[in-house]
Amino acid sequence: MDIDRQDGSVRLPNGFVFGSGLTQDDFRASAMFREAKSHYYGTWPWIHYSFPGGEIDGRDVLVSLCFHDQKLVSVDLTADLYPPGPKSWDNYSLQIEAATKDFHDRLLEYLFAGSAREESFHAGELSKDEAILERPAKWPFPWGTVWSSHDSKGGGTSITINYGNRD
């Protein structure tokens, strides 16, 4: 996986590559669209698509693209650290969310702070300290911002790529 520092283009572990100029029509014409689920929340022209992005360090990655009409506004990436099986509030855990946040933070550190990545990403032992959920990690770029955060109201933890001031 890679997020280009120069232009914000993303290469997912499954091989799908896209940039900030991806239009909704381009995505709908791509092979990934066949695996995507659309999510419309009654706020036209906003629409979201989620799909599997492959694996990073043995963890499945879920991708969500957010479009405003044709324009890609943001991307959410979430590594799944939960045990296999259905996801529900019954098995929700702040400790697993903390480990997910730690995983995301380490991945961003690997992608943006390392000068030469000769070895593939490996997260190692992850913290389950819930205090990490309160510490967003932000990486600003001329084209937008990448950050790792936890949504305490919605319960999710993700890496968000926001392309400029498009929302």
Side-chain angles (χ1 to χ4, degrees), residues 83-125:
K87 311 294 188 253
S88 73
W89 287 111
D90 292 336
N91 60 11
Y92 180 81
S93 162
L94 283 175
Q95 291 178 333
I96 294 175
E97 294 297 319
T100 302
K101 173 84 168 63
D102 192 22
F103 184 92
H104 292 162
D105 290 353
R106 291 178 190 205
L107 178 60
L108 293 178
E109 186 77 21
Y110 168 82
L111 292 174
F112 299 137
S115 58
R117 291 177 279 164
E118 296 175 9
E119 297 179 19
S120 61
F121 174 73
H122 178 65
E125 184 80 21

Side-chain angles (χ1 to χ4, degrees), residues 1-4 7-10 12 18 20 64 66 72-77 108 112 141 143-148 158-164:
M1 181 177 145
D2 193 34
I3 303 169
D4 190 282
D7 63 9
S9 60
V10 177
L12 296 173
F18 60 91
S20 63
S64 178
C66 174
L72 179 63
V73 175
S74 64
V75 179
D76 285 323
L77 307 166
L108 293 178
F112 299 137
F141 297 97
W143 48 263
T145 306
V146 178
W147 69 90
S148 164
S158 64
I159 292 172
T160 300
I161 303 166
N162 192 0
Y163 293 110

Side-chain angles (χ1 to χ4, degrees), residues 13-27:
N14 65 7
F16 184 56
V17 178
F18 60 91
S20 63
L22 179 72
T23 66
Q24 185 176 176
D25 286 344
D26 291 341
F27 177 67

Side-chain angles (χ1 to χ4, degrees), residues 62-83:
L62 179 66
V63 180
S64 178
L65 304 178
C66 174
F67 289 93
H68 180 267
D69 195 20
Q70 287 296 315
K71 191 179 292 188
L72 179 63
V73 175
S74 64
V75 179
D76 285 323
L77 307 166
T78 303
D80 185 359
L81 273 64
Y82 280 89

